Amino acid sequence: MPEDAKQLVLSARAELITAADPYYRGIDADASLPHWITVRPLASTSPGGPHIADLAGGRGWLIFTFIRRHADPQITVTDAFWA
């Protein structure tokens, strides 16, 4: 992955970890994210499960799962792609 894409992925991860609603429920739930990230559930039947974050207008994506922990929330990225 190119260095600029790696930096974008790290920035996206930081944004996702600090989101007010990491499950992105409801309409415009990702409105607080930067314009270059959109988030949606991977499967509409599992809104609390894995999510996909589209990066830079579709140039790449991350599939991730949010694990809620009181002291240290965690994002586990299971797949990453960059074109």
Side-chain angles (χ1 to χ4, degrees):
M1 187 176 288
E3 190 59 37
D4 59 335
K6 287 180 189 177
Q7 291 304 316
L8 193 66
V9 166
L10 291 175
S11 296
R13 183 185 163 279
E15 292 289 342
L16 296 171
I17 266 185
T18 59
D21 181 9
Y23 294 110
Y24 299 96
R25 296 168 286 219
I27 297 171
D28 293 332
D30 61 356
S32 65
L33 293 174
H35 70 280
W36 49 270
I37 303 175
T38 57
V39 176
R40 58 187 158 75
L42 193 57
S44 61
T45 57
S46 181
H51 281 64
I52 186 164
D54 293 310
L55 307 175
R59 290 202 56 207
W61 69 78
L62 299 174
I63 296 176
F64 68 94
T65 303
F66 176 78
I67 300 169
R68 185 178 300 280
R69 297 192 295 190
H70 294 288
D72 183 24
Q74 182 177 356
I75 295 284
T76 302
V77 176
T78 57
D79 192 16
F81 173 81
W82 188 258

